[in-house]
Amino acid sequence: MESMREILKKAKKEKYAVAAYNVNNLEWARFILEASEANHSPVIMEVSEGAISYMGGFRLVVNLINDLISELKIDIPVALHLDHGSSVESCKKAIDAGFTSVMFDGSKLPLEENIRLTKEVVKYAEIYGVTVEAELGQVGENGEEGIYANPVECEKLVKETGVFCLAPALGSVHGIYKGTPHIDFETTLKISELTNVPLVLHGGSGIPDDMLLEGIKSGICKININTDLQIVWAKAVREYLKEDAFVYDPRKIIKAGEEAIKNKISSINKLLGSVNKA
Ligand code: 13P
């Protein structure tokens, strides 16, 4: 496994984006790795704190991904990233366990506090060659837009903390959008020019293709996707259960969504331009 450094440096230079897919369980991890390998796309496997405790802890997740990479003979660049680390301690725990990248989410804190704590994470991460993502503004939740990032504050945070990449919230929403997404790509471009770091788009599911492409032109290099994969998986599993009312083997039930997830990953990787970039 590697950090996001080389993966996103190449994407920024060649103007494409790499998807960061949220891992929800063992099967998700395998589907994401196999589909990305088939596409020769570099991939960022990101795991939220909720998913980490659901699966059994930081070390289990690191061992799981490492073992899958070796068992499945995965050759593409893979980064393992902590999504929305809520504290310095949580980021340090992920780094100690072997995560190659962490996000410190201080977006709900006052700017100076966000800077102080992000800096602490960067200092620790640097010892291990781990990349750090920060967030400014607030990504929306429950379909409602959050708080838009301020470009001057973004420049200040990046300069003072030395973070490798930044997620400026500019209208995107985690989960399902209510109506058409309104994302401020003009400000995204401004932030990209001011900071010169790879930018991250949270809430990448449900955004029309042309908007995602505009985002890439505006400096976005990492696009976080969770809900899109969950929706196609759930639809396929529902259909499977409807067809066979007596099936009870969990492996068969979970696997019923494999093709749908893999197809969705392939179409996203194609759209973002990461195919054959491994
Ligand atoms: P979606 O679930 O909206 O794709 O968002 C994922 C995300 O941003 C994880 O940080």
Side-chain angles (χ1 to χ4, degrees):
M1 283 197 295
E2 54 185 79
S3 76
M4 300 199 297
R5 197 170 304 279
E6 296 312 316
I7 295 176
L8 293 189
K9 256 166 78 179
K10 185 166 165 1
K12 183 165 164 30
K13 193 165 160 240
E14 297 180 23
K15 285 202 180 309
Y16 60 91
V18 175
Y21 296 110
N22 282 81
V23 177
N24 287 291
N25 55 25
L26 156 73
E27 289 83 356
W28 239 253
R30 181 171 68 71
F31 302 160
I32 297 167
L33 285 171
E34 287 180 341
S36 304
E37 177 77 16
N39 292 158
H40 303 287
S41 288
V43 70
I44 298 159
M45 315 281 288
E46 63 180 17
V47 200
S48 67
E49 289 171 349
I52 289 167
S53 45
Y54 172 82
M55 283 193 271
F58 289 90
R59 290 232 320 270
L60 180 137
V61 172
V62 171
N63 290 334
L64 169 72
I65 305 295
N66 270 326
D67 285 353
L68 282 173
I69 289 174
S70 114
E71 284 295 319
L72 302 171
K73 302 194 173 25
I74 300 294
D75 239 1
I76 51 168
V78 178
L80 177 58
H81 177 76
L82 172 67
D83 192 24
H84 294 283
S86 61
S87 64
V88 174
E89 291 65 38
S90 177
C91 291
K92 285 186 176 174
K93 249 179 150 172
I95 295 168
D96 291 345
F99 275 64
T100 60
S101 185
V102 294
M103 172 189 191
F104 174 69
D105 181 356
S107 62
K108 293 197 172 72
L109 302 171
L111 179 65
E112 291 304 334
E113 188 67 352
N114 188 356
I115 291 179
R116 186 178 72 77
L117 296 177
T118 303
K119 227 163 141 176
E120 217 182 296
V121 175
V122 171
K123 199 169 154 208
Y124 193 75
E126 271 173 355
I127 305 170
Y128 301 91
V130 165
T131 39
V132 179
E133 173 184 327
E135 178 171 325
L136 260 185
Q138 282 175 28
V139 176
E141 300 290 344
N142 306 317
E144 307 291 345
E145 279 177 23
I147 299 171
Y148 282 58
N150 171 318
V152 177
E153 291 186 358
C154 288
E155 187 185 15
K156 182 176 160 74
L157 180 134
V158 169
K159 275 207 179 121
E160 293 186 13
T161 61
V163 277
F164 171 71
C165 61
L166 177 71
L170 289 163
S172 65
V173 170
H174 284 132
I176 295 174
Y177 286 82
K178 278 187 191 150
T180 315
H182 296 287
I183 300 173
D184 183 351
F185 291 121
E186 223 172 279
T187 308
T188 307
L189 180 62
K190 197 165 167 191
I191 294 170
S192 171
E193 286 166 356
L194 283 172
T195 61
N196 200 28
V197 293
L199 299 183
V200 180
L201 178 67
H202 281 249
S205 301
I207 298 180
D209 290 1
D210 57 334
M211 288 179 83
L212 288 179
L213 296 176
E214 201 182 332
I216 296 172
K217 274 195 213 144
S218 317
I220 288 166
C221 303
K222 170 179 180 263
I223 299 186
N224 290 7
I225 307 273
N226 188 19
T227 306
D228 268 353
L229 300 192
Q230 295 184 334
I231 288 175
V232 294
W233 176 82
K235 185 169 179 279
V237 169
R238 260 187 215 108
E239 278 162 14
Y240 180 70
L241 291 173
K242 227 193 278 167
E243 272 165 27
D244 185 347
F246 298 100
V247 63
Y248 53 85
D249 180 342
R251 286 178 298 179
K252 286 187 182 160
I253 295 170
I254 297 173
K255 202 175 159 44
E258 175 169 352
E259 203 187 331
I261 287 195
K262 286 182 167 176
N263 288 343
K264 187 73 189 168
I265 289 175
S266 287
S267 68
I268 293 171
N269 289 346
K270 267 187 208 135
L271 177 74
L272 304 190
S274 68
V275 171
N276 290 330
K277 296 291 186 185

